[in-house]
Amino acid sequence: MKHALLVFLGGGIGSVLRYLIAKPLNNFHQHFYLGTFAVNVIGCLVIGIVMGLASKNELFSQQGVLFFATGVCGGFTTFSAFAFEKHAFLKQGDFLPLFIYLFSSIFLGVLAVALGLWITRITE
């Protein structure tokens, strides 16, 4: 039960952070969900750093990983909103923005995780 509470608390924090960052950025550009894009890439970077530090330095306990990686990052990243927004592009027939957004989100997300893991290796 303690583990579920850690994920719950972290998820709440991540969700609020997502709202505070994504809301104004999504209103910034009409045809590109910049806020969702930003939180997904930032979330991927943060989870890379957390998991890198947890596995390398044992800086995070199992509870710390549950709170930060599963909770905060899980609440912060918005792949459910990501999928919904891609559906909206499809529905509107906006195929070029759909493919640019889809592939750049995946590519930069994976790259950000790798960067986070790399950052933890150079901090020895």
Side-chain angles (χ1 to χ4, degrees), residues 19-88:
Y19 173 78
L20 293 174
I21 293 170
K23 178 93 170 120
L25 290 176
N26 279 343
N27 291 333
F28 181 70
H29 195 281
Q30 184 179 5
H31 296 290
F32 195 81
Y33 298 99
L34 183 61
T36 303
F37 182 79
V39 297
N40 281 334
V41 173
I42 292 166
C44 289
L45 175 63
V46 171
I47 203 167
I49 291 171
V50 169
M51 297 309 289
L53 290 173
S55 67
K56 180 181 177 195
N57 300 338
E58 297 181 7
L59 182 65
F60 290 99
S61 64
Q62 178 188 8
Q63 290 82 11
V65 169
L66 284 172
F67 178 78
F68 285 107
T70 306
V72 175
C73 289
F76 184 69
T77 58
T78 56
F79 276 95
S80 59
F82 173 83
F84 177 78
E85 291 163 358
K86 296 319 126 292
H87 175 72

